[in-house]
Amino acid sequence: MQGQNQQQAYDRGITIFSPDGRLYQVEYAREAVKRGSASIGVRAEDGVVLLVDKRIRSSLMEETSVEKIHKADNHIGIASAGHVADARQLIDFARRNAQVNRLRYDEAIGVETLTKDITDHIQQYTQVGGARPFGVALLIGGVDEDGSPRLFETDPSGTPNEWKALAIGSGRDDIQSYLEENYQTDLELDEAVGLALRSLAETHEEGLTASGIGVATVDAESRSFVELTNDEIDEYLDDFDLQADSDAESAEDADGADE
């Protein structure tokens, strides 16, 4: 009985390490990310692609109300997987930091700098009693001042990692395996969009619909964030033969982590 009580103490206290060096609440936050619908990032030679599975739960839901891709600055986009409400808080934090950097230094913030600002903020919530970790992971894609495309991931523990291509959220293992097998370092932006779409299709046997996904790009030359319209996404789906038989979205039960 005493051992069970001790286990519950490690389980409930965010600031308490278990005897084997684990923070259970951080691990539970990672589980919330796994239950969220998938987000994919691919770095190309001339930009970065962010793609998200919106997981529309009902034909009555307005697709524009499902926000999983966000513009943090003119040259940076962010995609999320996990608790959407937690993601919104981090997006607001990122936008404020990006604007402060412009006002203070009269220049755009670096992608890595913004990522580390966000992860420093996330990490604070793993050391403060009475607060819980953020149950969300972010993909931060953008272009630096010298035109270099960058793609970073944030973890609920507050750890940043840079990637060439990455999937987070539901179906991550299958999508990541496809990316690892098919990614090439000399991809152009259009090819990177195709790779992201094909990798997501690995978890959608019925095909993809433009209304059920979101795609955004950050072009290296213009350093501009652009979110693709449904018509533009449809063109890509047709080109890669990934279009679902019907435009009607299947109503999927959300697992409680994503909206």
Side-chain angles (χ1 to χ4, degrees), residues 49-252:
V49 173
L50 297 174
L51 183 147
V52 298
D53 184 358
K54 291 184 178 180
R55 190 183 283 175
I56 306 296
R57 293 179 294 173
S58 169
S59 60
L60 300 178
M61 180 180 286
E62 286 285 355
E63 62 181 80
T64 55
S65 67
V66 181
E67 295 182 310
K68 283 175 59 66
I69 291 183
H70 307 263
K71 178 180 178 180
D73 203 345
N74 294 335
H75 64 300
I76 299 176
I78 300 178
S80 66
H83 283 287
V84 174
D86 287 11
R88 288 176 57 195
Q89 292 297 313
L90 293 178
I91 299 299
D92 288 344
F93 176 86
R95 287 170 172 166
R96 287 194 301 269
N97 276 35
Q99 292 304 307
V100 166
N101 194 87
R102 284 185 180 272
L103 291 171
R104 182 174 294 166
Y105 303 111
D106 194 27
E107 64 181 18
I109 194 168
V111 183
E112 183 174 4
T113 300
L114 181 61
T115 299
K116 289 185 176 179
D117 286 347
I118 295 171
T119 52
D120 286 348
H121 181 64
I122 292 171
Q123 193 274 338
Q124 291 177 13
Y125 284 78
T126 68
Q127 288 189 303
V128 178
R132 65 165 176 79
F134 288 92
V136 67
L138 303 178
L139 294 180
I140 303 173
V143 177
D144 279 337
E145 186 69 34
D146 62 357
S148 302
R150 309 291 297 275
L151 176 65
F152 289 89
E153 171 206 17
T154 74
D155 178 80
S157 67
T159 303
N161 290 295
E162 186 169 9
W163 294 80
K164 298 174 183 177
L166 175 67
I168 55 176
S170 178
R172 180 193 184 280
D173 291 343
D174 291 337
I175 299 172
Q176 193 67 25
S177 294
Y178 186 90
L179 291 172
E180 289 172 356
E181 291 174 4
N182 295 276
Y183 178 81
Q184 297 176 346
T185 56
D186 59 350
L187 286 175
E188 295 185 357
L189 203 55
D190 285 344
E191 295 171 326
V193 173
L195 175 61
L197 288 169
R198 292 195 305 272
S199 65
L200 181 62
E202 290 291 298
T203 62
H204 289 67
E205 295 181 359
E206 72 282 0
L208 303 175
T209 61
S211 59
I213 59 178
V215 182
T217 63
V218 185
D219 180 73
E221 183 176 355
S222 62
R223 298 186 73 231
S224 58
F225 172 91
V226 176
E227 194 162 358
L228 273 60
T229 66
N230 281 359
D231 289 341
E232 291 171 325
I233 296 173
D234 266 327
E235 291 182 10
Y236 279 107
L237 294 178
D238 289 338
D239 289 343
F240 294 100
D241 194 25
L242 299 173
Q243 193 78 254
D245 293 336
S246 171
D247 287 337
E249 298 240 26
S250 60
E252 300 179 6

